[in-house]
Structure formats: C-alpha cells, structure tokens
Amino acid sequence: EAPTNIQDPVFSRWGTVLAAVELFVDKWVVIYFFALALKGDQKSGCYLWQLSCALLSLMNNKSEPTMDGGSLDNFIGSFSEENEGDSCEKLKPGETPIFLAVLF
C-alpha cells in the first residue's frame, strides 16, 4: 500500500523532513532493491542508472562521500560504466550506512 499525504521535505520545516525520513527508513529494503533493479534494467551511463548508482553508493558506504567542492550533479555524474562506485569504505556486518546514520 502506497503512503499518502507525504509532503516534499523542506529542511526549514522539520515536520516535513521527519515524515519523509520515517517513510524512507520504513521502506529502506524496498528502496534498496528498487535501486538495484533500476541499475540492472537501465543502460549504463544514463541518468537513471547514475541516480541508482549514487543511491546505492550512499546506502552501502560507511563513510561520507567527498564532494571536493563539487555539486550533487557532479557526484551523480561521476558514475560511469568504468566507475560504478566511489572509493568510500564499504560496510562490514553490524555497521550502519552513513546515509541512514545522518538521517537520525
């Protein structure tokens, strides 16, 4: 069943952010496997494939990605067929993904 009445998260209005975070955490596994399915279905290098790689990278990594002054678009665009992930430290059993830790 799809959630209803979820507003777009606006960081200056914590009520909207907390509702979106709750939805994201509740659907973590679904979102993760949806991103995996998109990555497998889309042609490597297309924008949707790059978004899936970026999301999976954030969901799988232990450390924060380094932006080095770049924008989010540059981070998303950094994923290519040769570079499906960044050099962040990967999770070991029992560790929390940085993306989830930052949400809390």
Side-chain angles (χ1 to χ4, degrees), residues 6-66:
I6 300 293
Q7 295 178 328
D8 288 337
V10 178
F11 287 107
S12 62
R13 297 181 178 256
W14 286 106
T16 62
V17 172
L18 295 177
V21 166
E22 181 182 6
L23 175 68
F24 189 83
V25 171
D26 286 347
K27 303 297 181 187
W28 181 271
V29 174
V30 174
I31 292 168
Y32 183 84
F33 284 105
F34 184 71
L36 275 177
L38 279 176
K39 182 180 172 187
D41 185 56
Q42 298 297 312
K43 182 181 177 195
S44 64
C46 77
Y47 189 66
L48 192 54
W49 183 86
Q50 289 176 327
L51 282 174
S52 299
C53 286
L55 180 60
L56 289 168
S57 172
L58 291 171
M59 293 176 86
N60 286 330
N61 287 330
K62 175 180 167 181
S63 56
E64 294 182 50
T66 56

